[in-house]
Amino acid sequence: MTAYSGPVFDMAVKQFTVIADYLSIPEDVRPRLLMPKRAVTVSCPIHRDDGTTAVFEGYRVQHHLTLGPTKGGTRFAASVDLGEVAALAIWMSWKCALVGLPYGGAKGGIGVDPSSLSKRELEALSRRYMQEMIPFVGPHTDVMAPDMGTNEQVMAWFMDTYSMYQGRTVTEIVTGKPVSAGGTLGRREATGRGVAHLTRRVMNDRGIDSNRATAVVQGFGNVGSIAALELHRMGVKVIAVSDHTGALHRPAGLDIPGLIDHAAAHGSIAGYSNELVFDPEDVLTLPCDVVIPAAMERVIDARVAANLRCRIVAEGANGPTTPEADLILERRQDEIFLIPDILCNSGGVVVSYFEWVQDLQQLFWEEEEVMRREYQILDRAFDRMVMRAARDKVFNRTAAMAIGVDRVRGAKETRGLFP
Ligand code: NAD
């Protein structure tokens, strides 16, 4: 038992153990690689619109500082707890190392359903959270970004709050900001674009014609909606999507741009069409070419994994597949190609890194430049994963994570015990 114990943290531990066994990492070295460097819990009081006071619990976990500052998103969701945040911080470390960024992993969040707050309450909570975190973050110590339940506006409030306390504008304290507040072109789309880019690569490798291909997408927020839109533009028929309100299914393909407009106006896909309503439980197991989980952790469990009827799983979400499901997907790897989360959704942190670099230099790039460099980094990491998987005859997730863990281990060995 540790302070982090819980289903999501236990999953990160199990995944790490598989990698540590494969890499023959000695037992005494494992906790140094796995356990977070630092965890902070804060209370965030706000005045509600009705005049009462409410207190929300916030967290930030910094996994390791060996390769540079820590980097990671901030999640506002009712389910957020310390263990989930710690697991997400660990996955960020392997992800940053896999794609070669000079960062350790971090994650943060508040246990709150953001849809239960008014805009004023959300601003008050966002600002208070950042104010409580000021002693622990900084452009060269820990840089935040958006995640589930947070967006560009929340990042702008974070940046503004931090800046007011410093007495100057410090855009490089967070990424995923609006372009008008020092953000980069292409960040909002980066994760979904990366998911679609890698999916296209696998479709090409496997001889799947995008104009005949079908896809389903779970989650229609930042990652899911952009991934769906990019696939739609490639000619792929997106036959089903779901979000927290339900699911829609149309075998001939959904009108994704229309659905995005509807979700932007109404906050979800609910109310788009009564005829297309479908059971969200069955979305992932629909027969199709590509399944994209882009919402929550642990949605592909052993039962779902055994029942998948697709050829590619592209993990837009973090941690969507349980270790038990991994064993099944590993057995089915000739049938189903897995693009593991730490690679598949890494376009987000890659372009966050570009945003940080641009803010530090106050020199901004064109969107084409951002996209070209993003795809170059993703392609290189994809090639490394595929070569390692083939060389050692291991599962894609094992290969991807091993590359990340190895890089962190190498840096820790050369630097020593401190970071
Ligand atoms: P978001 O808040 O923009 O969207 C989340 C979506 O998931 C919403 O459409 C919501 O309705 C849906 N959802 C919630 N519960 C659901 C349920 N039970 N079933 C189906 N759908 C449900 O969040 P996001 O930024 O798109 O993040 C989604 C996932 O991608 C998370 O796992 C996040 O950690 C990961 N991710 C995000 C980024 C990024 O840049 N935003 C980068 C890497 C990974």
Side-chain angles (χ1 to χ4, degrees), residues 72-398:
T74 313
R75 178 173 287 195
F76 288 0
S79 60
V80 165
D81 61 27
L82 186 63
E84 177 182 89
V85 171
L88 289 161
I90 291 168
W91 289 327
M92 275 302 287
S93 286
W94 312 146
K95 184 187 303 183
C96 291
L98 167 67
V99 292
L101 304 182
Y103 293 136
K107 208 76 180 190
I110 302 180
V112 61
D113 172 4
S115 68
S116 69
L117 303 176
S118 69
K119 187 166 181 206
R120 191 204 61 78
E121 291 170 337
L122 181 65
E123 175 171 355
L125 185 57
S126 304
R127 288 187 180 276
R128 186 58 192 246
Y129 173 78
M130 174 47 101
Q131 190 265 321
E132 293 295 339
M133 288 296 164
I134 286 175
F136 309 104
V137 298
H140 296 284
T141 30
D142 184 11
V143 180
M144 294 184 187
D147 192 75
M148 252 173 78
T150 58
N151 56 22
E152 292 185 340
Q153 178 60 72
V154 173
M155 295 307 113
W157 289 326
F158 281 176
M159 186 277 279
D160 185 62
T161 305
Y162 185 86
S163 296
M164 285 193 305
Y165 277 83
Q166 306 301 318
R168 67 193 171 87
T169 298
V170 188
T171 50
E172 59 273 25
I173 184 61
V174 297
T175 60
K177 302 176 295 293
V179 173
S180 60
T184 180
L185 295 167
R187 172 61 185 90
R188 195 172 56 78
E189 301 84 357
T191 310
R193 271 183 188 156
V195 170
H197 175 76
L198 292 172
T199 301
R200 177 164 48 191
R201 266 204 69 163
V202 179
M203 287 198 299
N204 288 344
D205 291 352
R206 303 217 133 192
I208 301 172
D209 176 358
S210 60
N211 288 305
R212 290 163 183 269
T214 52
V216 304
V217 182
Q218 181 191 57
F220 206 65
N222 175 288
V223 179
S225 68
I226 302 287
L229 182 65
E230 292 292 315
L231 290 178
H232 176 82
R233 286 181 176 155
M234 290 172 200
V236 175
K237 280 206 257 316
V238 181
I239 59 167
V241 302
S242 67
D243 72 1
H244 68 286
T245 64
L248 299 167
H249 177 216
R250 184 168 183 263
L254 291 159
D255 167 17
I256 296 300
L259 200 49
I260 288 177
D261 288 345
H262 176 91
H266 300 94
S268 72
I269 61 172
Y272 177 76
S273 154
N274 287 337
E275 288 125 60
L276 305 179
V277 167
F278 188 68
D279 186 349
E281 289 287 307
D282 295 333
V283 164
L284 295 174
T285 50
L286 276 169
C288 64
D289 293 294
V290 184
V291 165
I292 303 184
M296 313 281 299
E297 297 93 41
R298 301 166 66 238
V299 291
I300 302 183
D301 57 16
R303 185 190 61 81
V304 174
N307 289 308
L308 285 172
R309 286 180 286 172
C310 61
R311 296 155 83 186
I312 300 168
V313 172
E315 294 183 333
N318 285 308
T321 306
T322 65
E324 297 73 29
D326 261 344
L327 295 175
I328 296 169
L329 288 185
E330 187 169 3
R331 279 203 296 276
R332 297 185 68 189
Q333 60 185 312
D334 290 339
E335 253 177 285
I336 301 174
F337 189 98
L338 173 79
I339 315 175
D341 53 358
I342 62 167
L343 171 64
C344 192
N345 67 35
S346 65
V349 70
V350 166
V351 177
S352 273
Y353 164 65
F354 297 160
E355 182 174 335
W356 181 71
V357 166
Q358 291 171 72
D359 283 340
L360 287 169
Q361 299 186 339
Q362 288 298 302
L363 181 67
F364 293 90
W365 309 350
E366 300 295 331
E367 188 159 2
E368 290 69 32
E369 173 84 350
V370 171
M371 288 169 67
R372 187 183 59 75
R373 286 178 182 249
E374 174 186 353
Y375 295 157
Q376 190 180 47
I377 289 180
L378 294 185
D379 283 335
R380 235 184 290 154
F382 181 88
D383 290 339
R384 278 200 295 264
M385 176 190 77
V386 169
M387 276 179 345
R388 179 122 183 189
R391 188 194 73 187
D392 291 357
K393 299 194 173 39
V394 291
F395 190 38
N396 285 346
R397 188 182 318 282
T398 308

